Amino acid sequence: MEVRSVSPEFVGEVHGLNLTKPISDSNFADIDTAIAHFGVLVFPGQDLSDAQQIAFSQRFGEIENAHGGNPTQKKKRLNAQINDVSNLNTDGTPLARDDRRRAFNLGNHLWHTDSSFRAVPAKYSLLSARRIPATGGNTEFADMRAAYDALDPAMKSQIEPLICEHSLLHSRARLGFTKWTAEEIEMMKPVRQALVRQHPATGRKSIYISSHAGHVVGWTEAESKLFLSDLTEIATQRAFVYTHEWTVNDLVMWDNRCVLHRARSYEPGVVRDMRRTTIAGDEATVAQAA
Ligand code: OGA
Ligand code: MN
């Protein structure tokens, strides 16, 4: 196994492993060290079945229960342990342009971190590219440790104690998606997250923002919205961003505690079949309101 550093420096490319087979403890330890150091790892050429993706993912911890992650998917195309981030209907054809499931999925095109709308947010995500469009459909990643390090000391002290309210309602409202049933609203109840996190393995601090963050607790709505959109702009400057241009059978893994990501657009009606396994986090970032 070899990990090559890609530019920018928070991305590593892993070669010499066959993830369709169980990996050794020593290879696993090397991946564990690499993901803590980099934040994003690319494993090219991994022709995985869903079961193989699940088995590899489970080496990193418990797979997050996907319930509540997409209230518009009443009937699932895939195994419950896989997040379907494709643009496909249960019959495998692309969703119609005006389908509300497609509208919901378009929320992934906003900068976010996975499951920040859960009280215990996700640790890692592993995204496998099964079918991709000929053009477009890249995924961008932004390093929130580098972004934090670059803040001036006054900004660092200002954000240190702040807590934000996160919900899927907030990220989807940004795209004008506001019509929900009472049951769906119940699934998207807001949670609180610290705005600054410290990584348990490296001790590095990072900015924990997301399109799911709608309010700064205790601030007015207008102040919150302006502040969060300014901070996102600062944190996602090109210097902190890696653009992944997918090849079929790439598996990309990232640490949601310190990296943001977003999908980039592609032609509607073209198949993009991407499947994500998500590793549950081990703690809340802040105590939840009663
Ligand atoms: C995800 C996600 C982006 C993409 O899987 O969590 O946001 O490019 N995906 O599909
Ligand atoms: Mn995501």
Side-chain angles (χ1 to χ4, degrees):
M1 168 184 160
E2 186 202 348
V3 187
R4 292 179 205 154
S5 181
V6 183
S7 176
E9 65 193 21
F10 70 105
V11 184
E13 208 176 78
V14 185
H15 294 271
L17 280 183
N18 177 357
L19 300 181
T20 65
K21 304 224 166 69
I23 54 161
S24 68
D25 289 345
S26 104
N27 281 335
F28 175 73
D30 289 345
I31 296 171
D32 211 37
T33 305
I35 189 70
H37 171 74
F38 287 101
V40 178
L41 291 179
V42 179
F43 301 83
Q46 304 293 343
D47 185 3
L48 299 172
S49 66
D50 289 352
Q52 288 161 344
Q53 181 174 344
I54 290 167
F56 175 61
S57 302
Q58 280 170 334
R59 293 292 300 263
F60 299 96
E62 210 179 300
I63 293 192
E64 190 180 83
N65 183 339
H67 181 76
N70 186 342
T72 66
Q73 274 176 5
K74 313 284 184 217
K75 196 167 140 222
K76 302 251 182 272
R77 184 173 70 100
L78 307 170
N79 180 309
Q81 287 177 295
I82 302 258
N83 285 81
D84 188 3
V85 283
S86 74
N87 61 342
L88 304 176
N89 215 323
T90 45
D91 67 2
T93 58
L95 293 165
R97 206 155 180 174
D98 62 352
D99 192 298
R100 77 197 284 273
R101 290 167 293 179
R102 180 168 183 274
F104 185 90
N105 290 342
L106 286 174
N108 280 339
H109 295 230
L110 300 168
W111 283 114
H112 68 283
T113 171
D114 288 336
S115 296
S116 73
F117 51 83
R118 298 185 194 279
V120 175
K123 186 186 276 182
Y124 301 133
S125 291
L126 297 96
L127 187 59
S128 163
R130 308 298 174 84
R131 291 179 70 188
I132 55 171
T135 54
N138 295 340
T139 305
E140 293 184 342
F141 297 90
D143 184 358
M144 292 302 102
R145 299 160 301 184
Y148 176 85
D149 291 345
L151 295 175
D152 62 47
M155 186 64 152
K156 283 182 181 155
S157 353
Q158 186 188 11
I159 66 172
E160 182 74 33
L162 298 182
I163 293 170
C164 296
E165 185 190 281
H166 292 234
S167 167
L168 282 164
L169 288 168
H170 295 315
S171 47
R172 272 51 192 177
R174 289 174 205 278
L175 302 181
F177 195 157
T178 53
K179 292 198 184 74
W180 303 103
T181 65
E183 190 191 347
E184 288 166 344
I185 290 171
E186 177 63 25
M187 285 168 91
M188 297 185 285
K189 277 213 290 266
V191 300
R192 293 179 163 197
Q193 303 292 357
L195 186 50
V196 176
R197 293 188 77 168
Q198 188 167 22
H199 198 282
T202 63
R204 290 187 71 183
K205 287 190 174 178
S206 57
I207 307 173
Y208 195 58
I209 38 174
S210 185
S211 57
H212 306 311
H215 296 282
V216 180
V217 173
W219 289 25
T220 66
E221 170 132 25
E223 283 172 338
S224 296
K225 286 204 150 76
L226 286 170
F227 185 76
L228 291 171
S229 90
D230 285 353
L231 188 59
T232 305
E233 192 177 313
I234 291 167
T236 57
Q237 293 172 75
R238 287 289 107 181
F240 309 132
V241 172
Y242 163 70
T243 300
H244 189 70
E245 294 177 26
W246 293 94
T247 299
V248 168
N249 295 336
D250 282 346
L251 178 77
V252 178
M253 172 177 187
W254 64 89
D255 187 338
N256 285 297
R257 297 168 296 185
C258 56
V259 172
L260 297 186
H261 62 283
R262 64 174 180 180
R264 300 288 69 209
S265 70
Y266 54 97
E267 206 183 305
V270 171
V271 174
R272 183 174 187 265
D273 190 352
M274 311 288 286
R275 304 184 186 195
R276 190 183 91 213
T277 34
T278 316
I279 310 305
D282 23 51
E283 57 187 0
T285 65
V286 73
Q288 299 303 309

